Amino acid sequence: MELAPCGKNACAYLVDQLFKINSAEGKSVQKHVDHMIKTFPNILIDIVNLVIKRATNNAREFSGHCQAAEANIQQLKPFFVLGWFLGRSPQVSNLIYNYFENSSFQPLPEETFQYVSTKQEEIAYAYPGFDDELVKNILITYFKYLSFNPRWFSVVWNWSELGRFVSLHPSKDINYLAACCLSIITRPSRHQHMMFLQDLIREPSQLIEQQLKHANIFKHKSRPLIETKPERASEFIKSMDGSETRSYEFCTESLTKVANSLLPKRDVSLESNHMKKTIEKTINRFIPVPSICDSLSRIAYAASINKPCLIRGPTGSGKTSILDYIAAHTNRSRPPDYIKVHVGDQLDSKSLVGSYVCTEIPGQFEWHAGPLTQAFAYGSWIVFEDIDLAPPEMAQVIHSVIENGNLSCVSCCPIKMDNPHPDFRIFFTQRTRSHNHIDSLRLGFGFVERLCDIVDMPELSDSDLKEILEKRYQFGPLKDTILEIFHSAQKSMMEANLARASRSLTLTDLFKFCERVSKNGIKMNDGKYASSDLDCILMDAID
């Protein structure tokens, strides 16, 4: 399905509404922004880009004629809004990282409050517009950012003020929320965290009250971009300003839909026509029969939230084909944008990550990046085929990438990145004996099953195979004869396999058989196909 382009006026209008809805107190942000994300996922990246552009322009404007305190208050608006966009897609998260990395904004500036009496029960905030309610909203949003990426946000923001809010602020609500933020940064054990809270709030009933009152902060979970209906978007705009429904297009050219999940597309406007035809051919050759729709949906979902995926199934079950189909929808069909690594004992970590090679100048070396490093740094999709054959030395490198998001375990690699490119995706395929018999991965690769979404390819029925043969090769009645001959040969080879070490026929052989039949142009004689001709073609295909 092709998505229609989105007009810039639609994005600008929605951003205007965001800044109107979002007051300095941060009230009503959750309801409206979350509704907007669900309603307009197709143009979310464009909306976030405009929010950041608006926030940057406002920061420059206020820095010229306002004090630092007032400028910081103005920057709280995008801080609240972007907190709800965080994690919706890797591209959105990367935009937010860049914004805060290049901004002087601090959620809780130093010396936010001071005591106004010796009893330490009354405080005064040093910044105009600050009050207890605003600070609570700041801490709740701060908690969301830290929960999403504690390592990054604890470095980019100064969190020393959290200690003052924990120990010196008279409000128990603020004490508890600040303590929760600190626990993410300092990473205590569960027991240590509870002991700290019990020392902070000594009355057990008050501690339980705080836990129940703020339980929702632990339930924040980002969802991937899922296509919505234009009718719903129109109704939402109408409800926001009471005006008549506007004739906006709610899709963007930078996204594509695969099984109801939205994935970012590469720009291929400068690519050759041959490249575009290859992508189109890959999409058309794959037939999404009903039995594999669930697998297709789950793999596309994993790609949309940037989670590694392990696809398991016997030879010829369509593990690689289904990845080729999804990748082609994002305009990826070959290196360097789409990389396949055939795993075997001869593959080592050096060939995977890269190494220094000699140049034409004697004594001079230059770094030659391997496929994993290229994909990690430049946002490619990489597929490790037959990960069950991987040598143990590869385990540490792959584990560092999918769990820690870096290549720190490889000391010789000159590319030091704390986070991979937002377009980077990693997939694994595992070859199994049958659909019901799945062996464990080699020693050291148990983390793959633990950290990846696991998708088991289903067994295709004869009706599925007939649909594929009909749509891909237009065989008509010939498809029944082909399947009969294939199943007969499959049974014969299975019986022979019991007597001697002979391989079994797989669906890969079936499709090779069909390719040759299609090229040879077998014709009917007296209303039947010559089975002897088809037998010869099958034997030629499997040799």
Side-chain angles (χ1 to χ4, degrees):
M1 173 184 173
E2 285 297 322
L3 300 179
C6 170
K8 292 183 179 180
N9 57 340
C11 296
Y13 172 77
L14 292 171
V15 172
D16 288 340
Q17 296 302 313
L18 275 176
F19 275 83
K20 290 177 182 178
I21 292 170
N22 175 44
S23 62
E25 293 82 11
K27 295 178 180 179
S28 303
V29 175
Q30 175 179 356
K31 176 183 175 182
H32 291 278
V33 177
D34 206 34
H35 195 175
M36 184 176 290
I37 289 170
K38 292 177 182 178
T39 309
F40 300 100
N42 300 4
I43 56 174
L44 189 59
I45 297 174
D46 299 326
I47 292 174
V48 172
N49 260 319
L50 282 177
V51 168
I52 291 175
K53 184 177 180 180
R54 180 80 58 85
T56 304
N57 292 338
N58 289 348
R60 290 173 182 168
E61 180 182 347
F62 282 101
S63 63
H65 55 80
C66 295
Q67 297 181 352
E70 188 176 350
N72 201 77
I73 284 286
Q74 293 299 322
Q75 287 182 294
L76 282 174
K77 292 184 177 183
F79 168 73
F80 287 128
V81 174
L82 294 176
W84 288 102
F85 288 119
L86 187 68
R88 300 295 176 166
S89 79
Q91 288 71 27
V92 167
S93 301
N94 195 55
L95 290 172
I96 296 173
Y97 288 148
N98 290 337
Y99 169 71
F100 285 118
E101 187 175 23
N102 297 313
S103 170
S104 60
F105 168 73
Q106 293 291 332
L108 293 172
E110 294 184 1
E111 301 294 331
T112 305
F113 68 92
Q114 296 175 347
Y115 291 115
V116 295
S117 67
T118 56
K119 296 181 181 181
Q120 298 187 353
E121 294 179 354
E122 296 182 20
I123 63 168
Y125 288 99
Y127 299 96
F130 267 70
D131 56 24
D132 286 357
E133 197 63 32
L134 175 60
V135 171
K136 289 179 191 176
N137 284 312
I138 291 175
L139 290 172
I140 290 172
T141 307
Y142 200 170
F143 185 86
K144 292 175 187 174
Y145 282 100
L146 291 173
S147 299
F148 181 76
N149 193 336
R151 182 177 57 186
W152 197 88
F153 286 106
S154 62
V155 171
V156 76
W157 287 332
N158 178 12
W159 49 272
S160 59
E161 189 69 9
L162 288 173
R164 296 184 71 241
F165 279 104
V166 170
S167 56
L168 302 178
H169 201 284
S171 169
K172 294 298 181 185
D173 287 341
I174 291 177
N175 295 155
Y176 178 80
L177 292 170
C180 289
C181 292
L182 272 179
S183 70
I184 297 180
I185 298 171
T186 57
R187 296 178 129 184
S189 66
R190 174 68 177 170
H191 175 71
Q192 291 172 331
H193 177 60
M194 290 306 301
M195 291 294 293
F196 177 66
L197 290 179
Q198 289 170 5
D199 290 339
L200 180 66
I201 305 175
R202 297 186 178 276
E203 186 64 38
S205 60
Q206 292 184 1
L207 177 57
I208 294 174
E209 180 185 352
Q210 290 296 327
Q211 290 174 320
L212 294 174
K213 186 176 181 180
H214 300 292
N216 287 334
I217 66 173
F218 299 99
K219 297 179 181 179
H220 177 71
K221 185 177 181 181
S222 299
R223 297 181 178 180
L225 304 185
I226 303 296
E227 189 193 30
T228 190
K229 295 181 179 180
E231 295 81 6
R232 178 180 175 183
S234 299
E235 291 173 1
F236 179 68
I237 286 186
K238 186 176 181 180
S239 68
M240 290 176 67
D241 64 355
S243 63
E244 295 183 359
T245 304
R246 299 163 185 256
S247 56
Y248 289 140
E249 295 287 351
F250 299 105
C251 298
T252 176
E253 293 177 331
S254 62
L255 294 176
T256 184
K257 188 188 78 165
V258 181
N260 209 36
S261 292
L262 296 177
L263 298 171
K265 291 195 299 185
R266 281 183 60 249
D267 181 12
V268 291
S269 57
L270 301 179
E271 297 284 356
S272 64
N273 289 331
H274 175 72
M275 175 69 171
K276 296 176 183 177
K277 289 180 179 178
T278 301
I279 292 172
E280 185 179 355
K281 182 179 179 181
T282 303
I283 294 174
N284 292 335
R285 280 184 58 82
F286 186 83
I287 310 299
V289 293
S291 60
I292 65 171
C293 285
D294 180 64
S295 299
L296 179 64
S297 177
R298 291 175 60 191
I299 297 171
Y301 180 92
S304 70
I305 61 174
N306 197 10
K307 187 169 185 180
C309 189
L310 171 64
I311 301 100
R312 305 188 300 194
T315 302
S317 58
K319 302 183 295 295
T320 304
S321 298
I322 199 170
L323 288 173
D324 292 345
Y325 175 73
I326 296 173
H329 272 282
T330 65
N331 292 334
R332 292 175 172 83
S333 65
R334 62 186 182 186
D337 307 300
Y338 183 53
I339 303 171
K340 296 179 187 177
V341 179
H342 298 275
V343 177
D345 290 327
Q346 74 281 0
L347 188 68
D348 57 14
S349 57
K350 183 180 292 186
S351 58
L352 198 61
V353 176
S355 59
Y356 285 96
V357 296
C358 297
T359 64
E360 296 179 354
I361 302 175
Q364 185 176 354
F365 298 86
E366 65 179 15
W367 173 257
H368 185 270
L372 181 59
T373 305
Q374 290 179 26
F376 185 88
Y378 303 114
S380 306
W381 285 24
I382 186 167
V383 181
F384 289 95
E385 296 188 280
D386 299 333
I387 192 65
D388 47 297
L389 303 178
E393 62 179 282
M394 283 178 51
Q396 185 182 7
V397 176
I398 296 177
H399 181 268
S400 176
V401 169
I402 67 176
E403 183 164 44
N404 303 324
N406 57 51
L407 292 169
S408 58
C409 68
V410 187
S411 58
C412 66
C413 180
I415 299 179
K416 305 297 181 184
M417 298 177 63
D418 291 332
N419 294 290
H421 191 283
D423 291 335
F424 172 69
R425 301 290 187 277
I426 186 168
F427 304 91
F428 305 91
T429 68
Q430 179 185 354
R431 184 170 49 188
T432 61
R433 298 188 201 177
S434 67
H435 290 278
N436 300 319
H437 193 289
I438 299 174
D439 295 322
S440 299
L441 295 175
R442 284 186 174 182
L443 183 65
F445 283 88
F447 66 89
V448 174
E449 295 176 334
R450 176 172 56 88
L451 298 174
C452 293
D453 272 357
I454 299 177
V455 178
D456 292 317
M457 295 299 293
E459 187 173 5
L460 296 178
S461 64
D462 278 359
S463 61
D464 292 329
L465 292 174
K466 288 178 181 179
E467 182 179 347
I468 293 173
L469 299 187
E470 175 63 33
K471 291 183 177 179
R472 182 183 291 183
Y473 304 105
Q474 290 82 42
F475 278 158
L478 178 59
K479 62 181 180 292
D480 298 319
T481 307
I482 285 178
L483 281 180
E484 287 177 9
I485 293 175
F486 176 76
H487 286 319
S488 177
Q490 195 175 37
K491 184 178 180 181
S492 299
M493 292 192 71
M494 189 177 299
E495 293 172 353
N497 193 30
L498 297 176
R500 63 183 188 276
S502 175
R503 75 177 185 89
S504 301
L505 285 182
T506 66
L507 292 182
T508 301
D509 297 308
L510 172 61
F511 294 127
K512 286 182 181 177
F513 176 34
C514 293
E515 291 286 349
R516 303 207 177 192
V517 170
S518 179
K519 290 179 180 178
N520 286 325
I522 301 296
K523 297 182 180 180
M524 298 177 69
N525 292 321
D526 298 329
K528 295 182 180 180
Y529 293 99
S531 59
S532 58
D533 293 342
L534 292 172
D535 288 337
C536 292
I537 294 175
L538 174 60
M539 292 300 105
D540 185 45
I542 63 178
D543 283 342

